[in-house]
Amino acid sequence: MRLHEYQSKEIFRQYGISTPGGIVCTTPDEAVRAVEQFGSAAIKAQVLVGGRGKAGGIILATPDSAAKTASRIFGMTIKGLPVTKVLVEERVDILQEFYVAITLDRRSRRPILMASASGGVDIEDFARSSPEQIMMESIDPGQDGLQSHQLMHVAEQLELQDFTDFPELARNLYTIYDDLDCTLAEINPMVLTRTGKLVALDAKLNIDDNALFRQDAMQQLYRQNLADLDPLEVQAKELGMSYVAMEGSIGCIVNGAGLALATLDMITRAGGAPANFMDVRGGADAMHVGRAVEITTSNPATKVLLINMFGGLTLCDEIARGISEKLQGLNIPVVIRLTGTNQEQGWEILRGAKVTVAQSTDEAARIAVEMVS
Amino acid sequence: MSILVDKHTRLVVQGITGHVGSFETRLMLQAVTSVVAGVTPGRAGQNVEGVPVFDTMQEAVDTRGANTSIIFVPPAHAAGAILEAAGSGVGLVVCVTEGIPVKDMVQVFGSLEGTGVRLVGPNCPGITTPGQARVGIMPDPIFVPGSVGVVSRSGTLTYEVVDALSRQGIGQSTCVGIGGDPLIGTTFIDALELFEQDPQTRAMVLVGEIGGTAEQEAAEYIKEYVSKPVVGYVVGISAPPGKTMGHAGAIISGGGGTAKEKIEALAGAGVTVAESPEDVAGKMKELI
């Protein structure tokens, strides 16, 4: 689960990490008044996707330009999500910019502190182009977290002109990461101001979905943020399924994440474009499959529905029942590939139904692509 | 021969009295696996499918001489179950449970270090050695005994690949599902090493997906140490970055997570790259 920047910054302040003064606004008028209060400020779209800066969702404003800038940002849709909130933040006098984050290192199976003297960059691109410029310090959770010598080493490498505040900031960031079951705690950029203060200009906290059951405060934020997510994604998640919107026209329902990815790839290789990723998960019953049909077909861009199931824990007759109950209301063609446990019963249920049956994932993808072209 | 599980496997099922635990126990028994004990705290003395239930792993291992455990315990208790198994004397622990908090797994891996206990998973479909042992949830009817080793991060996609191999008359030595979480015990490299040493295995299939750099690390390993032919299949070429695609570990973030980079690394290491499960079987047929 991703938190909004303003929510992450609230948590930062609770844990003693400085942030610029800021006001959350839900209308352009509020944003204008906030800019007037600060004199000169940044208006930052609050959306739950990465890359909002690149998409033009962060703009500097003065009282003169505030009205125009605010209405522009509130009119934006960033990666499918409309901007309904902005954070207006006072301008900070920057001496140096850095990147600091704590995340999980899959290889060592431990958290790591990542830091770079290049702040504000797209860290993923940067990791590819200049990996040697990113410092990494492995964190031993059994050893009480980050050690002083590690922090001194990082501060030296960063060539921080004033590193009085750095050890405490890094330790606080790790405490947040550890206390709240984070998978990422990132400050990009962290800035050193002309007055010698370290300030988190941006803040990004991702929380482990699997740990929400023991993080009451994060659960509350999760519920608060549901309205800011793709409603189809939320509906699927509530049923234990996984839905991700994409840009094409072939809707997909598959059991298993790997097979779902394989299905998307085969559609792409056959010259088509998937409208979504949908993994109904093992053991899905007729109700789940029925809801999956509703969710995927409520995307108006979906022109064909491709259902690909390999029955194991998931039973083919259950799947067929879920599909056949929803076929009546559908006005788009459906391609089905159904194999595995109870497949004969499944096919029997679908006999005479208005569906095209495919024998393999490959064939299903080719038929679906032909249907849209 | 085969790897990790065979007819000498003596299995304990942790969480045997649960819905999935008891259902899968029946299927494992049908697939001729020696399930010798089950564990559910507070249920000692019961039987599930004729398998005696114990309160603790220690009692199960001491009484029944078990050497392997499989875990079907809910996520909040699964890390504890792994550690209990690791301390009981079994050498191999397979964790099927999906949804264990990452922080719990960091602690588990810290504790497992130096114990010599091997963990497969979590969030994995387990291990099948056709005709000898099914330690997991893979559908048994698709398997045929043979000489191709399969290692995969996926579940249903693995079944597709195995099914395609079997339909082409290509049997499997062992199939290992290493799991879809960001932190897993046994890696591609571990499985490749075991397959390389296993005299029954003549070739291998590696099934990967977006997220992390495990496929690139496997490619480096193959280049140096693997002499047997390998067919690689990586899915997610069309996945958008920054989105978790079903598996907690399947997300393109940080350097190296894309399918394209993984495919290039594998091809560069001399791996034959396939584009579908049928293609895996076709290419394997040409190789062996």
Side-chain angles (χ1 to χ4, degrees), chain A residues 81-152:
Chain A
L81 298 177
V83 177
T84 58
K85 276 187 282 266
V86 300
L87 175 64
V88 176
E89 259 184 1
E90 64 177 345
R91 276 189 81 168
V92 175
D93 231 352
I94 300 168
L95 189 64
Q96 283 181 292
E97 285 188 77
F98 308 93
Y99 174 91
V100 185
I102 291 168
T103 187
L104 181 73
D105 179 35
R106 296 186 187 207
R107 209 164 175 167
S108 64
R109 303 186 179 102
R110 280 181 178 182
I112 46 163
L113 172 73
M114 289 169 64
S116 169
S118 301
V121 295
D122 181 324
I123 196 68
E124 282 161 28
D125 290 347
F126 192 69
R128 282 194 177 81
S129 60
S130 323
E132 73 289 345
Q133 288 188 47
I134 299 176
M135 274 168 284
M136 308 218 187
E137 289 286 338
S138 181
I139 303 173
D140 184 347
Q143 288 292 320
D144 219 25
L146 283 157
Q147 303 297 299
S148 299
H149 66 88
Q150 293 182 303
L151 294 170
M152 288 309 287

Side-chain angles (χ1 to χ4, degrees), chain B residues 227-283:
Chain B
S227 63
K228 300 173 184 177
V230 183
V231 175
Y233 177 36
V234 179
V235 295
I237 51 162
S238 40
K243 286 284 187 181
T244 304
M245 305 299 269
H247 287 152
I251 174 166
I252 300 171
S253 66
T258 66
K260 190 167 166 273
E261 287 164 283
K262 291 163 188 282
I263 289 168
E264 281 168 5
L266 289 168
V271 171
T272 306
V273 175
E275 294 189 349
S276 70
E278 286 77 17
D279 194 28
V280 169
K283 294 226 155 82

